[in-house]
Structures are given as C-alpha cells and as structure tokens.
Amino acid sequence: MNAAPPLLEAEHLALEFEIARSGEIFVAIRDLTLAVARGSFTVVVGPSGCGKTTLLRAIAGLIPCARGRLAIAGRPVSGPGDDRAFVFQSPALMPWRDVLGNVIYGLELRRVPRAAARARAEAMIGLVGLTRFARHYPHELSGGMRQRVNLARALAVDPAILLLDEPFSALDAQTRETLQLELLRIWGETGKTAIFITHDIAEAVFLADRVAILSPGPASALLDEVEVALPRPRTAHTRRDPAFFALVDRVSACIGRIDPLG
C-alpha cells in the first residue's frame, strides 16, 4: 500500500528579499527540501538568522519563492489562502474587541453568516478553555490567556495547516509548559497539520513528530531531520523520560556543531 502524499512539499526552495535601505538582495534560504505529512507536527529549529520565520511566512504565502517549488496538496503556493492560519509570537489582539469579537473576526472577513460564525467562534473559545472569559477584553487577560485567544482565532477559520511562530517565547516557564500541553491536546482533537518555530530544543522535542534543523544563515539549508518517536499523548512525565533527554541531546549536538542558538 502506497504512503499518503505529503500535505506540504518544498523542493530546492530558495527565499530571498530586497533590503530596502541598500537595495541588496538578501538570500535567507538557498536550497531547502522538506516534506510535511498531513496531520503531523513538525518543529523547525536553528540558529538565529537562519530563516525560520521567513520559511513560515513563505508557507503562509506572504513571501514569494525565488526558486524551487513550494506546494500544498500538490498546488503551488502563490499567496495567502484559507487553508493556512498564522499564530504570531505576539497575539496582536484588537483591544476594543472582547474575546468573542477577536476570535470571530476572521470569519467576518470571510463573510460567514453571523449565526454560523458565532457558533464556530464559541466552539473554538471552548476548545482553548476560555468560555468563561468570552466577554473579557485583552487587557483583562493574562499573557497565556491572550495567546489562547490567538490560537482560537487561527483555528476558527478551520485551516488545514497551522503555522506557529514562537507563540510561547514571551511567557514564563510554567505557563509555557502548560500551553505546550494544551496545544498538543488541541492539535490532537482537531487533526490539523502544525508547523512550529522555536529556539527551545526541549520544547521542539516535546511537541514534534519530527524536528527539522536549519543551518546558519544567511543562505540556509536543511541540515538534518530528527524523528521523535516518543509515545503520544505526551505528558509532564515525558519530560523525565531518558528517551526525551537523548533526543534533546541529539538535536543540541547537531546545532552545537554549527552555532549556539541565539
């Protein structure tokens, strides 16, 4: 029986952009080949400046490909699409809208009928555990709660691929670990394909089915891929498993051969 084709494929992908001040062309990624299976959780790590966020923005359709191929379900990525949603490092919530108003916003832009949009938004608010706070405004929420709203807003539009750019990096360690568990629960319940950027190797191993390691920038490429065969569901006990530490050491050793994380 043939394996299912990957949902996302990058083949010899190159990403570059012009530096406005000088007019020079900056090559962020020179040659990257990567396949992401449908329903999987892929984490991308690498040194600062290696093009992790640039890659995520290209998948989102916000940056054009300079060379090579980038496709979702066999169709070339030519711009933003309903099949992708971006969870940014900063929630960037609208302060004049409550939780429900922020989560429903993307559905309003897509002209989803009001009743259906409200039902969908309320379901996603419930999924991230904020039903009691649906009428609260961003300034009334903790940092972790605001990031839950950010995630609910992305999920509300029902994307096939969830793109997460270091969404927990600004949170304290305890909140971060709690939200890692919550993200895995939500990912498991929704079946989305997740591509997650982080500088934290332990976070990468805890979340991922596979960790993709980029080489130093500029002009980065895929240095290595590490399969994470830890059983799911992952729990707090996973972090104390010797196999977990071995995988963290393996990824760290790979990155340590090139440059420490910034």
Side-chain angles (χ1 to χ4, degrees), residues 230-250:
L230 298 171
R232 297 191 185 275
R234 309 263 166 90
T235 68
H237 295 288
T238 302
R239 305 181 199 274
R240 299 192 289 274
D241 189 326
F244 173 80
F245 290 116
L247 285 164
V248 170
D249 286 347
R250 180 179 170 188

Side-chain angles (χ1 to χ4, degrees), residues 179-193:
L179 287 185
Q180 288 167 5
L181 287 167
E182 284 293 286
L183 176 60
L184 288 182
R185 175 185 62 81
I186 292 165
W187 168 73
E189 290 184 20
T190 61
K192 302 299 180 187
T193 302

Side-chain angles (χ1 to χ4, degrees), residues 43-47 52 198-206 208-214 223-230 243-261:
V43 179
V44 182
V45 300
K52 299 185 295 295
T198 184
H199 277 91
D200 187 318
I201 296 171
E203 178 174 69
V205 171
F206 183 75
D209 293 317
R210 181 178 53 165
V211 178
I213 305 166
L214 299 187
L223 181 71
D224 200 359
E225 294 180 75
V226 174
E227 298 293 329
V228 180
L230 298 171
F244 173 80
F245 290 116
L247 285 164
V248 170
D249 286 347
R250 180 179 170 188
V251 176
S252 299
C254 184
I255 291 174
R257 292 197 301 268
I258 53 179
D259 194 18
L261 287 177

Side-chain angles (χ1 to χ4, degrees), residues 2-11 33-40 42 69-77 83 160-161 193 195 210 225:
N2 294 329
L7 177 60
L8 182 139
E9 295 176 280
E11 295 179 345
T33 296
L34 181 70
V36 175
R38 187 180 299 273
S40 66
T42 299
R69 176 174 176 265
L70 181 61
I72 296 174
R75 297 185 297 274
V77 174
D83 53 354
I161 301 178
T193 302
I195 304 175
R210 181 178 53 165
E225 294 180 75

Side-chain angles (χ1 to χ4, degrees), residues 65-88:
C65 302
R67 292 176 298 281
R69 176 174 176 265
L70 181 61
I72 296 174
R75 297 185 297 274
V77 174
S78 58
D82 293 349
D83 53 354
R84 288 148 283 158
F86 211 118
V87 179
F88 295 93

Side-chain angles (χ1 to χ4, degrees), residues 126-219:
L127 184 65
V128 301
L130 291 178
T131 297
R132 290 175 49 237
F133 300 91
R135 288 303 183 183
H136 284 60
Y137 287 84
H139 73 273
E140 299 173 311
L141 306 175
S142 67
M145 293 168 74
R146 287 195 292 271
Q147 199 57 282
R148 288 173 188 248
V149 179
N150 195 17
L151 179 58
R153 180 173 56 185
L155 289 168
V157 297
D158 196 24
I161 301 178
L162 198 58
L163 305 170
L164 303 108
D165 188 11
E166 300 193 68
F168 307 146
S169 61
L171 303 175
D172 63 85
Q174 183 175 355
T175 302
R176 185 171 185 154
E177 290 191 1
T178 298
L179 287 185
Q180 288 167 5
L181 287 167
E182 284 293 286
L183 176 60
L184 288 182
R185 175 185 62 81
I186 292 165
W187 168 73
E189 290 184 20
T190 61
K192 302 299 180 187
T193 302
I195 304 175
F196 188 104
I197 300 296
T198 184
H199 277 91
D200 187 318
I201 296 171
E203 178 174 69
V205 171
F206 183 75
L207 295 173
D209 293 317
R210 181 178 53 165
V211 178
I213 305 166
L214 299 187
S215 65

